[in-house]
Each structure stands twice: as structure tokens, then as C-alpha cells.
Amino acid sequence: MSAALGAKALTRGFTSRTVDGFVGAIGNTPLIRLKKLSEKTGCNIVAKGEFQNPGGSVKDRAALGVIRDAEKRGLLKPGGTVVEGTAGNTGIGLAHVCRARGYRCVIFMPNTQSQEKIDLLRMLGAEVYPVPAVAYENPKNYNHQARDFAADLPNAIWTDQFDNTANAEAHYLTTGPEIWEQTGGNVDAFTCATGTGGTLAGIGRALKEKSDGKTQIWLADPPGSMLYSYVSSGGKLSERSGGSITEGIGQGRITNNLGTFVNELSGALHIPDNKSIAMLYDLLDTEGLYLGASSALNVVAAVELAQKLGPGKTIATILCDGAYRYQSRLFSKAWLKAKELEAAIPEHLKKYAVLD
């Protein structure tokens, strides 16, 4: 890695000017070089620090993107209502943006989610409706209830994060170009997991265009998702089975967001939970990064991709959010044991599992 690239990779990506409120603080996150893993693989492994967005996650970008798109198209006017079905970070991002822009925010979520998530959304001013957790095909699915709720209100939108391609467009316009600039236009491959598909599709399209097709884009997939088999088989949908400790990623269908780019993917990587949990603890120990499980999964994928492509390459990924919203599980000895993941953590790292 050149000295110039090293400086760029380690530069804290914040703009030097004053920004306008919460919305102005979204994006321009730092690109963090993962020193130990870069040395281990002989590659330059860099990760976009999306946990430094003001709402704490990569979903701040999508939240702002879908709201701005609705405003631009005249679907949302001052004093309007924003409705979404979400179990996690998108709802938090929407609640923040709605407060900043003066909208009512209504969130439908499965009643299997933690009370902490419900409380946080309500603290941010959102109205939260926990509903029974049923399959997407069921008309009572939380996404469909959100859609129907919005349809019955004047000056209201259902943001439809999975199939509203303004989600992917936000990453195409911001996250992808930021990565390109921060690597000095030298990124051989990018990989991340996907839930809605917006991050992977938007960043992938931007990097492909800017590199004249040279940058490889790989999907990283957890257990319980069918996307790895879909990509690896050349487009055959398989039965979804099993599950993962990760939240907000993995999918049983090709969303509209992912559909904008899925045929351009270079390949897919299947990342088991034991590797993700081991990486989560390793990143805390070696890099001082306190991250959620999906971020750790992305880093595992970046390492495997570095090993696949060989030394000297620059591999980029996304650090989606921190561990703060998941710490009662990820650092709980009882939870790790119940999930049969205790043995995945090396002995010298088990000291971080401080919760009983």
C-alpha cells in the first residue's frame, strides 16, 4: 500500500465544514484500515465506519434517501407521516430524520423484538406498533400492515425500504463515491451482506461504474438466507431454512433494491455464525472496534475475499453499526452458550463476555 493511500485510508472522513443539523451529519464516514487483518492477508482491508453516522448505523443513509425522494416527488409535504415496517436500524434512522424534518414517524415491528428497541424508537418520538411475527406472505406481516396504515392517511408515505430503490440510489450517490475517493480510486473488491439490498446494490453500481467494471462485488450471506445459493447457482431460488444470530441481513427473496444489481455480482460467500462471533471478539481485541454481528460478518467476508484474490489487493467492506444495541446478547455467557457459540471464541478473548 502506498503512503498516500495509507493516509487516505486512515483519514477520519468527516467534512471540515459545519453541517446543517442531523441530516447534514449523515455520510462522510471514515474509511478504517484494519491493520492486523491487512498484515495477516497481505492485502489492504478497509472498512467504512458507518457506525459513526449520527443515528449510529448505515441505515441513516437509506432513511434520508427515501424521505428525500418522497419530498422531491411531492409525495410527502410538511407535517406529513412516514410509516415503515422495520425491526431495527432503518426505523431508528427514520425516527431521527423525521424529528429533524418535522414529520410524524410510525413504525410497525414484529413483537419478537426486544423491549430495548421499542423503547429507543419511542424515545426518538416514533409511534411503535408491535404486531405478531408472521411470514411475509401473510397479509398481517408487519410490512403489509405498515403499507396499509399509510394508505389510509392523507400526506403519508410507506417508505418500503426493501423495494423502494431510492434506498439503493442513496448509496450509489454517497457511500460508493466516498469509498472510491477514500481509496484513491484503488479498490479491487467490495463485499457486504444484504437485507434490503440497498447498500450492496448502490455501492456496487457506483464502484463498477467508476472502475470501468474492474472492481469485483461479492455478496456475503449468513445462515438461513437463500441469497448465497441463488448467486452461486446462477439464479435458482431454494427453500429458506435455518437462521442466524445476525440481525437485519439475509433474505428469502430478491428485493427490488437487490434486483437492480444482482446480475452484476462477481460471486457470493457463505459466512457461518461461529466465524462472525469469533471475528466480533477479535476486532474488539485487536482493533478496539465494538461492533455488531453483521459488521463482523462483513469483515470475515473481506478476509476470505482477500485470501481468494491474493496479496496486494484492496478489499473494502461496511461496518454497519456498533454492538451497543446487541450487547445484552453478544457479550452474554448464557446467550452464547444457548446458541452453541461459546466454543467459537478463542480462550484469550472470552474475557470480553462479561455478562452472565
Side-chain angles (χ1 to χ4, degrees), residues 166-230:
N167 174 348
E169 187 71 6
H171 292 286
Y172 171 74
L173 294 173
T174 66
T175 328
E178 287 173 28
I179 291 172
W180 183 257
E181 181 181 356
Q182 288 169 312
T183 58
N186 177 26
V187 53
D188 296 288
F190 172 82
T191 183
C192 76
T194 183
T196 66
T199 304
L200 182 67
I203 293 173
R205 183 158 65 99
L207 293 179
K208 279 283 191 181
E209 287 183 8
K210 290 182 178 296
S211 68
D212 293 324
K214 294 176 184 177
T215 301
Q216 295 188 29
I217 311 297
W218 287 67
L219 179 145
D221 215 29
S225 173
M226 49 68 64
L227 297 179
Y228 168 77
S229 62
Y230 180 88

